């Protein structure tokens, strides 16, 4: 919408993520999952780290899960007995495990982060059928850039915030956001 357009107009980097809790299934096993759906460019600060299998060395990546794939943390992989290349179901859609997610620079403690993590591409969320009226979902629109440009965006955005919306910056963000 208008905020996304304003971020782009100001020349700031932009990414999005959506968080919700649902069940992931594999071969008759089910596990509550803390799902984070991310757009290209996520995270704007810091790096994700992934491995090719459980308990293996990891490495930084500039990528996010491709469409049709998910990245699972070691807890999720263990709970479902899943390895890279295995199939996982979320709602009414099927995915392939593309990597073991070992680090998210902005992950903190919240309702959405209690369960093991499953990260997916934001473009795949609709196909799952999991986001419906009444679903508890957390949406984030992320922007980064030079300090003056970000502060100017904050001044523009603050009076435009609607019900249930908030603005987080380095000044008021959770510690893990500031550290990233």
């Amino acid at each position: 919408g208008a905020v996304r357009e304003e971020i782009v107009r100001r020349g700031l980097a932009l990414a999005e993520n959506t968080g919700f809790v649902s069940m992931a299934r594999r071969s008759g096993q089910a596990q509550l999952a803390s799902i984070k759906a991310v757009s290209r460019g996520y995270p704007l600060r810091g790096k994700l780290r992934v491995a090719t299998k459980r308990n293996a060395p990891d490495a930084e990546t500039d990528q996010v899960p491709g469409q049709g794939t998910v990245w699972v943390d070691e807890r999720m992989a263990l709970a479902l007995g899943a390895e890279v290349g295995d199939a996982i179901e979320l709602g009414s859609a099927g995915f392939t495990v593309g990597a073991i997610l070992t680090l998210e620079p902005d992950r903190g403690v919240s309702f959405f982060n209690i369960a093991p993590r499953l990260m997916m591409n934001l473009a795949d969320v609709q196909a799952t059928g999991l986001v419906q009226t009444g679903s508890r979902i957390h949406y984030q629109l992320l922007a980064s850039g030079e300090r003056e440009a970000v502060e100017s965006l904050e001044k523009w955005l603050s009076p435009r915030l609607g019900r249930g919306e908030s603005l987080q910056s380095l000044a008021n963000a959770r510690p893990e956001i500031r550290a990233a």
Side-chain angles (χ1 to χ4, degrees):
V3 175
R4 187 178 290 104
E5 292 168 8
E6 189 66 18
I7 290 169
V8 171
R9 188 187 73 73
R10 291 170 183 261
L12 297 168
L14 170 70
E16 298 175 68
N17 72 65
T18 299
F20 55 98
V21 174
S22 189
M23 297 300 287
R25 298 178 313 279
R26 177 179 177 275
S27 301
Q29 298 279 92
Q31 172 63 48
L32 188 66
S34 172
I35 299 170
K36 184 182 252 184
V38 299
S39 72
R40 189 169 40 116
Y42 173 85
L44 293 179
R45 296 282 189 249
K47 298 281 186 186
L48 295 170
R49 293 185 68 91
V50 295
T52 57
K53 59 184 177 177
R54 290 192 317 243
N55 301 314
D58 64 354
E60 287 185 352
T61 181
D62 291 325
Q63 303 298 310
V64 296
Q67 285 190 252
T69 66
V70 294
W71 295 351
V72 296
D73 69 10
E74 295 214 3
R75 286 173 51 207
M76 176 65 70
L78 190 61
L80 292 176
E83 301 287 348
V84 171
D86 287 345
I88 285 183
E89 295 175 8
L90 286 176
S92 55
F95 299 91
T96 301
V97 176
I100 304 298
L101 180 64
T102 60
L103 177 72
E104 294 169 72
D106 63 347
R107 186 166 185 182
V109 178
S110 77
F111 168 77
F112 294 103
N113 292 328
I114 294 170
R117 171 69 84 214
L118 183 147
M119 185 175 282
M120 65 187 298
N121 192 294
L122 188 62
D124 284 332
V125 171
Q126 187 173 358
T128 68
L130 294 172
V131 176
Q132 303 173 15
T133 302
S135 296
R136 184 171 177 173
I137 301 172
H138 182 79
Y139 297 96
Q140 287 189 314
L141 188 59
L142 309 169
S144 71
E146 296 299 322
R147 182 181 300 268
E148 289 176 8
V150 171
E151 288 174 354
S152 175
L153 175 68
E154 288 176 29
K155 287 178 186 160
W156 175 86
L157 182 56
S158 289
R160 291 169 171 82
L161 292 175
R163 183 172 171 236
E165 296 178 330
S166 65
L167 179 63
Q168 291 183 351
S169 68
L170 290 180
N172 67 3
R174 300 183 322 259
E176 63 275 9
I177 301 290
R178 288 197 304 266

